[in-house]
Amino acid sequence: MGIYSNSKLGTFDQCKYKFRLQYIERIRTGVRSIEAFMGTMVHDTLEKLYKDLQSSKMNSKDDLMQFYLQHWKNNWTEDIVVAKEYANAEMYQNMGVEFILSYYDKYHPFDQLKIIGVETNEKLELNNNNKYYVKIDRLAADEKGNYYVIDYKTGGTIKSQEELDQDRQLAMYSIWVRNNYPDAKNVKLVWNFLAFNEELSSERTPGDLSKLKLEVEDKIIEIETCTEFPTNKTKLCDYCEYKFMCHEWVGKKKVVGKGIKKQTLLNDFFPK
Ligand code: SF4
């Protein structure tokens, strides 16, 4: 029996060596990318917005900005990696400010849908007693009985409709929604691409979801019977927390991005 998540399956598909370090050897480096850090700060701010709304508290833009900037300061550590040569932490912080303010202007007073849940912490039952972690940024419903699985994206790329129609994460979450909210007439998958201030959506038929669940269960069997964990060197290595200890990169000129305490980390893993 195991608990699986979209990122665990995604890591297995991205690089089996990274999967081994992260999920089998459970090595925790403490290294975070600035993109992931900024994403967490923005998500936490929108979580506060909607959780407060659940208790009828409307935050102003200033309230949210104050929360975001203080939250950033409280959680910032020097090991956060800024991999892009031309970037710095302040640029990312400002990007987060823009995302939140644009979102606020577009959706205020946030009464388009009824809030059902924020940052859910649930599990979908799979076969062989496995479970799939269900962490929905926001679950909402309209008056017609449609449910909405809403996800915020803080990355710099936007997905095509074709990619969204194939997306695994929100579709798996929607299976849990259908199981737990039998009144749901339909479950829509919604992505808020904050860098583009754009909302895109997709839908699945019950047949699509049955097929997807079987695919995920097959993927879990593949993971549990896997014995070889080769590296997979791609541009995503720049955002990998294990890059500084990965044999594809260690000893080469550019091991990590600026901002990381490379020597400290290397000393931990390769003591003299
Ligand atoms: S740096 Fe690249 S190849 Fe090495 S573990 Fe990370 S993702 Fe895999």
Side-chain angles (χ1 to χ4, degrees):
M1 185 198 98
I3 298 177
Y4 290 83
S5 63
N6 190 60
S7 57
K8 190 169 180 178
L9 301 189
T11 300
F12 185 78
D13 287 338
Q14 182 203 331
C15 174
K16 293 186 174 49
Y17 183 61
K18 181 180 177 187
F19 180 89
R20 193 185 97 186
L21 297 176
Q22 186 168 348
Y23 293 105
I24 300 175
E25 299 186 17
R26 294 182 180 278
I27 294 172
R28 299 287 176 261
T29 64
V31 175
R32 290 179 288 176
S33 71
I34 185 77
E35 289 85 359
F37 179 75
M38 184 267 280
T40 303
M41 297 301 104
V42 171
H43 275 78
D44 291 350
T45 305
L46 294 177
E47 179 184 350
K48 173 187 168 49
L49 170 69
Y50 283 102
K51 277 200 169 152
D52 284 351
L53 280 167
Q54 282 182 302
S55 31
S56 303
K57 181 186 171 194
M58 172 70 77
N59 285 277
S60 66
K61 276 200 244 185
D62 282 350
D63 294 334
L64 287 189
M65 280 304 99
Q66 212 175 346
F67 174 85
Y68 170 76
L69 295 172
Q70 191 60 47
H71 198 49
W72 182 290
K73 196 173 162 192
N74 293 347
N75 288 280
W76 178 261
T77 62
E78 290 305 317
D79 283 342
I80 294 167
V81 179
V82 182
K84 291 186 175 123
E85 294 290 344
Y86 59 84
N88 59 43
E90 199 184 343
M91 281 171 61
Y92 282 92
Q93 188 184 57
N94 291 338
M95 244 185 258
V97 168
E98 286 299 315
F99 294 171
I100 295 163
L101 294 181
S102 303
Y103 183 90
Y104 196 101
D105 286 338
K106 184 168 181 179
Y107 292 100
H108 181 268
F110 314 105
D111 57 359
Q112 296 82 2
L113 298 169
K114 182 178 169 202
I115 306 163
I116 306 293
V118 179
E119 292 289 334
T120 63
N121 187 7
E122 304 290 348
K123 301 205 177 52
L124 169 68
E125 303 281 340
L126 300 176
N127 68 355
N128 298 327
N129 287 325
N130 290 314
K131 295 182 196 312
Y132 194 90
Y133 193 37
V134 176
K135 195 169 192 317
I136 303 172
D137 289 343
R138 182 163 48 102
L139 178 61
D142 65 20
E143 288 170 354
K144 294 178 187 157
N146 296 307
Y147 278 63
Y148 298 79
V149 175
I150 301 168
D151 197 51
Y152 311 120
K153 292 288 180 208
T154 54
T157 53
I158 194 162
K159 288 192 176 173
S160 66
Q161 189 62 50
E162 199 181 356
E163 288 173 301
L164 296 178
D165 290 341
Q166 295 298 319
D167 182 88
R168 176 176 58 205
Q169 182 181 20
L170 299 201
M172 286 298 285
Y173 295 170
S174 76
I175 299 174
W176 177 86
V177 174
R178 283 174 189 268
N179 291 348
N180 287 277
Y181 295 90
D183 61 316
K185 290 201 171 58
N186 197 4
V187 182
K188 301 186 187 222
L189 318 181
V190 178
W191 292 263
N192 266 295
F193 289 94
L194 300 177
F196 303 84
N197 203 12
E198 186 151 352
E199 181 181 300
L200 296 175
S201 65
S202 176
E203 292 186 37
R204 300 288 189 279
T205 65
D208 293 336
L209 294 175
S210 301
K211 186 165 166 272
L212 175 69
K213 187 163 171 277
L214 286 175
E215 283 168 7
V216 167
E217 288 167 342
D218 284 349
K219 176 65 71 182
I220 290 173
I221 292 171
E222 187 189 339
I223 290 173
E224 292 185 344
T225 54
C226 180
T227 53
E228 303 275 323
F229 296 90
T231 53
N232 182 26
K233 197 174 169 187
T234 66
K235 61 182 180 182
L236 294 176
C237 293
D238 278 347
Y239 306 97
C240 175
E241 64 172 302
Y242 301 101
K243 189 177 180 184
F244 73 92
M245 55 182 290
C246 172
H247 54 84
E248 289 285 358
W249 295 93
V250 169
K252 297 189 177 164
K253 195 171 171 224
K254 187 187 172 201
V255 179
V256 290
K258 62 186 173 183
I260 185 174
K261 287 182 178 168
K262 181 178 91 181
Q263 203 51 52
T264 309
L265 292 164
L266 289 174
N267 288 344
D268 285 347
F269 283 92
F270 306 105
K272 289 180 184 147

